[in-house]
């Protein structure tokens, strides 16, 4: 799924939370807040105001949110479901 500038009225953060909630069939307020799920560097970029980024090249950031791989590149958001790992990969002793 890709979203971009067609949702100008929503921030990147709102786009991410809304898209994941839609895919999960839940209210966005039922999800863990995005700021709790994202590390400090991507969080600074995601929450920075547009005026702070004028004239700067956009950086691409990827992180996991509620079982989805999220990549933000400028004003484009890509969200894909993370593949589930078989139980054998989760608990096999090595």
């Amino acid at each position: 799924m890709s979203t971009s500038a067609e949702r100008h009225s929503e921030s990147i953060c709102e786009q991410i939370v809304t898209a994941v909630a839609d895919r999960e069939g839940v209210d966005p307020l039922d999800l863990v807040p995005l700021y709790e799920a994202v590390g400090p560097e991507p969080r600074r970029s995601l929450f920075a105001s547009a005026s702070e980024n004028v004239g700067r090249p956009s950086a691409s950031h990827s992180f996991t949110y509620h079982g989805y791989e999220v990549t933000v590149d400028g004003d484009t958001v890509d969200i894909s479901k993370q593949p589930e790992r078989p139980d054998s990969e989760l608990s096999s002793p090595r």
Side-chain angles (χ1 to χ4, degrees), residues 9-76:
S9 63
E10 287 185 319
S11 72
I12 294 289
C13 298
E14 291 170 324
Q15 289 179 40
I16 294 166
V17 173
T18 300
V20 170
D22 287 349
R23 286 182 169 208
E24 292 294 307
V26 299
D27 187 285
L29 296 176
D30 291 337
L31 297 177
V32 172
L34 189 59
Y35 66 86
E36 290 181 13
V38 179
E41 284 306 311
R43 185 175 29 214
R44 278 189 208 99
S45 295
L46 289 173
F47 291 104
S49 70
S51 63
E52 292 174 355
N53 292 320
V54 171
R56 294 184 191 169
S58 63
S60 178
H61 297 285
S62 295
F63 55 91
T64 302
Y65 178 62
H66 199 70
Y68 291 85
E69 182 67 22
V70 178
T71 301
V72 179
D73 189 4
D75 64 352
T76 302

